């Protein structure tokens, strides 16, 4: 089936089997391997991308469902000049990643949340609820929480050691 996806601002005309997941198409057909496929059941959140402004699990969506829509992946976060997105800088500064497998999903979850409601960082319970929707086995979530608050401009970036 022929579909058109706008991925990170670039139009992709693709011929995909109707049963293929968006995550697989992003990785295999678009060459964007930053979207990680973990559980492939929508539980872990490592495959999270932004679809028309909303954070979604790319393993649960068929690519054909996204025809004509706009997808943003972790590769689309950096600025045109290659400058890291404030969330990427904050994740680094706050040591909010260890193995890195979950990081792209958390970044995309956070960017969608901050773009739709920057005040989410002012409500600890809402931010906690957001973060528990993705799984991380390494960080304990606290550095991720601090990074999102930092990127939202609520706390200064830590000084380099």
């Amino acid at each position: 089936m022929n579909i058109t996806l706008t991925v990170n601002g670039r139009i992709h005309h693709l011929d995909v089997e109707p049963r293929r997941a968006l995550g697989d198409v992003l990785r295999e057909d678009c060459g964007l391997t930053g979207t990680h496929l973990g559980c492939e059941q929508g539980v872990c959140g490592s495959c999270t991308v932004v679809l028309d402004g909303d954070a979604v699990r790319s393993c649960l969506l068929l690519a054909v469902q996204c025809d004509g829509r706009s997808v943003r992946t972790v590769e689309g976060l950096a600025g045109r000049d290659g400058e890291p997105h404030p969330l990427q800088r904050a994740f680094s500064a706050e040591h909010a990643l260890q193995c890195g497998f979950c990081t792209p999903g958390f970044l995309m979850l956070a960017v969608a949340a901050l773009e739709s409601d920057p005040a989410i960082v002012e409500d600890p319970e809402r931010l906690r609820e957001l973060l528990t929707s993705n799984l991380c086995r390494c960080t304990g979530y606290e550095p991720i929480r601090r990074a999102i608050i930092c990127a939202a401009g609520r706390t200064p970036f830590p000084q380099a050691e």
Side-chain angles (χ1 to χ4, degrees), residues 81-148:
D81 60 356
E83 181 69 23
H85 187 279
L87 272 166
Q88 291 171 308
R89 289 188 14 229
F91 266 61
S92 177
E94 291 289 351
H95 307 287
L97 60 126
Q98 287 180 28
C99 81
F101 192 82
C102 68
T103 305
F106 272 108
L107 287 168
M108 300 316 294
L109 178 71
V111 79
L114 291 174
E115 287 175 354
S116 68
D117 182 12
I120 192 167
V121 298
E122 296 169 13
D123 184 336
E125 183 59 27
R126 283 181 56 220
L127 184 56
R128 186 193 66 73
E129 191 67 29
L130 175 75
L131 295 180
T132 60
S133 69
N134 282 25
L135 298 178
C136 176
R137 296 182 183 264
C138 302
T139 66
Y141 295 91
E142 181 58 22
I144 296 170
R145 185 191 68 79
R146 286 193 317 261
I148 293 169

